[in-house]
Amino acid sequence: MDILQDLENRNLIQQTTDREALQKHLSEHQVTLYCGFDPTADSLHIGHLLPIIMLKRFQRAGHKPIALIGGGTGMIGDPSGRSTERSLNEASVVHDYSEKIKQQMAKLLDFDHGTNAATARNNHDWLGQMTVIDFLRDAGKHFGINYMLGKESVSARIEQGISYTEFSYMILQSLDYMKLYEQENCTLQIGGSDQWGNITAGMELIRRSRENEDDDINVFGLTMPLITKADGSKFGKTAGGAIWLDPEKTTPYEFYQFWINADDRDVMKFLQYFTFLEQDELAALQHELEHNPEGRLAQKRLAEEMTVMVHSQKALEQAQKITASLFSGDLKDLSASDIEQGFKDVPTYEASKEDIGLIDLLVNASISSSKRQAREDIKNGAIYINGERQQDLQHAVSEADRIDGQFTVIRRGKKKYFLVRFS
């Protein structure tokens, strides 16, 4: 199956320029394509995953992907899809973000093997060297104001107001396409559907800057749909914030939980978009979802595929271990590392390593409101230490109650967890 047909089967094509010519181009050449990623934080998040996986799909089909880090455009800010202007970061901050994002890309794309090994470029390499005069003479003269005002990324902001800085973003991104066309023979740009105006503007700049040349110019654009969730909430956001690819910001366990908790109405779309499962397996998962939704097999498969892809098989196994322990309530087999991941966001009390009476600990850690309440909680069987019910009023929490000598997990009632960290 050719790459475009596979993308269409997965509903991953929102728009494309000259579909027939693009298919011919892809079938006859090893095509170099790119997608841009502006460094607006020190980590990518799962909102970036779809374009990265799109690059990976083209690479698997034999084409050569470029991950373009926006070290230059990231200092300006893309107005696409935004109602307000971004705050501008210092150059040193953008540079640091760019390096971290480049390292994350290297884990998701193959930069080392074959004639179609991926490359990472940074548009600061050319934008940072360009003078204002160069910008106006070489690029600005090819853009009519009416043409720019007609682009949705600009027109949507006219009433609220848009600075010249963000207004010029389209030209900067167009320069990216032109530079990669010149330097890498890059003939395809991909992006989210909100990037359509910027992509077609880049194609127009390439053509206009070479309108006196005899050779045909074959450049193309393709966009993928923006991801929406069935419940109306924003994809990639939770009550705790964004789902990051950096395990220090979002643990593999939290990452796994995000996918395994996918809504039944969304899970098949996510499997189509994000995984490389074949259509026959996807059809089997669809059948299972329809006839045995409580088994959540589709969600489990999605969580497995995504956690291995972004983190590792070992990280997946740890996330599954933590999940199983929390579900059963038996925490004895968890390590300190498991505890740190699984209980990252629960209330934590810092304690010294001396033995302490359970009643005193419950009060000191604000698990029970008073000693009287603590006694009632213990007698009523509401207190669990590391998953085991403790009803001894004289019990002292000691070394034997600490996981790896560092943590004790206390549960009050069915769902209220507290973490005691000993130091």
Side-chain angles (χ1 to χ4, degrees):
M1 186 185 300
D2 68 78
I3 178 65
L4 289 188
Q5 186 61 56
D6 181 49
L7 295 180
E8 286 179 340
N9 289 347
R10 294 174 180 275
N11 299 312
L12 279 171
I13 298 179
Q14 181 78 14
Q15 295 165 292
T16 179
T17 57
D18 201 335
R19 166 70 168 77
E20 187 175 332
L22 175 57
Q23 182 161 5
K24 184 173 186 291
H25 188 59
L26 289 164
S27 65
E28 295 179 353
H29 305 279
Q30 181 187 78
V31 170
T32 299
L33 69 150
Y34 92 95
C35 186
F37 303 86
D38 278 349
T40 55
D42 61 356
S43 171
L44 298 170
H45 54 72
I46 61 170
H48 296 108
L49 269 180
L50 188 58
I52 296 171
I53 291 170
M54 286 284 281
L55 290 177
K56 197 176 182 76
R57 292 190 194 282
F58 277 96
Q59 185 173 32
R60 286 191 171 193
H63 304 291
K64 183 178 174 63
I66 298 173
L68 182 66
I69 311 298
T73 46
M75 296 178 67
I76 300 300
D78 185 358
S80 302
R82 293 183 62 87
S83 58
T84 58
E85 189 160 351
R86 296 180 186 273
S87 58
L88 301 182
N89 289 314
E90 296 292 332
S92 60
V93 173
V94 174
H95 175 76
D96 183 52
Y97 288 174
S98 298
E99 288 302 307
K100 289 180 178 178
I101 288 173
K102 182 179 177 181
Q103 292 169 14
Q104 287 185 328
M105 289 285 187
K107 296 179 181 179
L108 295 164
L109 296 170
D110 184 356
F111 282 80
D112 301 315
H113 303 99
T115 58
N116 66 328
T119 56
R121 298 294 306 272
N122 191 319
N123 63 18
H124 190 271
D125 293 346
W126 50 84
L127 296 179
Q129 307 303 316
M130 182 173 285
T131 68
V132 173
I133 292 174
D134 292 336
F135 172 75
L136 294 174
R137 285 176 57 88
D138 297 341
K141 69 178 181 180
H142 295 294
F143 287 84
I145 293 298
N146 288 339
Y147 173 82
M148 296 179 72
L149 289 174
K151 298 295 185 180
E152 185 178 357
S153 61
V154 173
S155 63
R157 287 281 298 280
I158 291 298
E159 289 188 12
Q160 294 101 327
I162 183 170
S163 69
Y164 180 75
T165 301
E166 284 198 337
F167 182 68
S168 65
Y169 185 94
M170 181 192 306
I171 304 178
L172 297 179
Q173 186 168 326
S174 299
L175 279 162
D176 290 344
Y177 200 172
M178 187 173 77
K179 290 295 181 182
L180 292 176
Y181 175 78
E182 293 170 348
Q183 298 175 10
E184 306 276 1
N185 191 30
C186 178
T187 53
L188 172 62
Q189 181 184 174
I190 67 170
S193 59
D194 61 340
Q195 295 298 310
W196 181 250
N198 292 331
I199 291 172
T200 54
M203 295 168 57
E204 191 71 12
L205 176 61
I206 292 170
R207 293 188 179 114
R208 289 191 178 190
S209 63
R210 285 159 176 74
E211 57 188 359
N212 296 324
E213 297 179 9
D214 295 331
D215 295 339
D216 289 335
I217 298 171
N218 289 313
V219 287
F220 302 91
L222 182 151
T223 64
M224 64 210 82
L226 296 179
I227 304 172
T228 57
K229 291 176 69 175
D231 64 5
S233 62
K234 189 171 182 179
F235 174 76
K237 296 285 188 180
T238 67
I243 305 297
W244 301 95
L245 305 194
D246 183 344
E248 297 298 319
K249 295 169 76 72
T250 297
T251 67
Y253 166 73
E254 292 172 312
F255 187 83
Y256 175 84
Q257 286 297 312
F258 172 81
W259 297 105
I260 206 167
N261 287 317
D263 192 303
D264 285 352
R265 296 168 294 175
D266 291 323
V267 65
M268 291 311 304
K269 177 171 68 175
F270 292 169
L271 281 164
Q272 290 271 17
Y273 281 9
F274 293 104
T275 77
F276 290 84
L277 301 183
E278 299 294 343
Q279 292 298 325
D280 56 349
E281 184 173 357
L282 292 171
L285 289 169
Q286 175 71 54
H287 182 271
E288 185 70 16
L289 178 65
E290 292 171 356
H291 294 87
N292 183 29
E294 62 276 5
R296 299 187 69 77
L297 185 62
Q299 283 88 345
K300 291 174 184 176
R301 195 75 179 89
L302 174 65
E304 290 168 1
E305 289 290 309
M306 300 313 300
T307 306
V308 170
M309 181 190 299
V310 172
H311 296 294
S312 67
Q313 179 66 34
K314 183 178 179 181
L316 168 64
E317 291 168 1
Q318 185 179 31
Q320 290 173 324
K321 176 185 173 185
I322 298 169
T323 300
S325 292
L326 291 177
F327 181 77
S328 68
D330 184 0
L331 311 181
K332 293 189 297 296
D333 292 333
L334 296 183
S335 66
S337 174
D338 299 334
I339 294 296
E340 286 186 301
Q341 282 201 47
F343 295 88
K344 177 183 175 183
D345 295 322
V346 306
T348 301
Y349 173 70
E350 303 287 342
S352 63
K353 289 193 173 181
E354 289 81 12
D355 293 357
I356 181 172
L358 177 57
I359 291 174
D360 289 334
L361 180 59
L362 293 178
V363 174
N364 293 347
S366 299
I367 299 170
S368 300
S369 58
S370 65
K371 288 189 176 183
R372 179 182 175 182
Q373 183 63 55
R375 291 189 188 95
E376 288 185 10
D377 290 339
I378 295 170
K379 285 192 295 184
N380 293 335
I383 299 300
Y384 296 77
I385 297 178
N386 298 332
E388 293 185 351
R389 178 178 282 152
Q390 180 54 257
Q391 291 182 277
D392 181 1
L393 292 173
Q394 304 305 316
H395 182 79
V397 178
S398 64
E399 175 70 27
D401 296 311
R402 299 175 202 149
I403 295 172
D404 284 353
Q406 299 179 52
F407 299 107
T408 297
V409 179
I410 296 179
R411 189 177 93 224
R412 181 172 180 260
K414 292 184 177 181
K415 294 183 179 180
K416 291 185 178 180
Y417 282 94
F418 302 84
L419 185 63
V420 181
R421 183 194 303 268
F422 293 91
S423 59

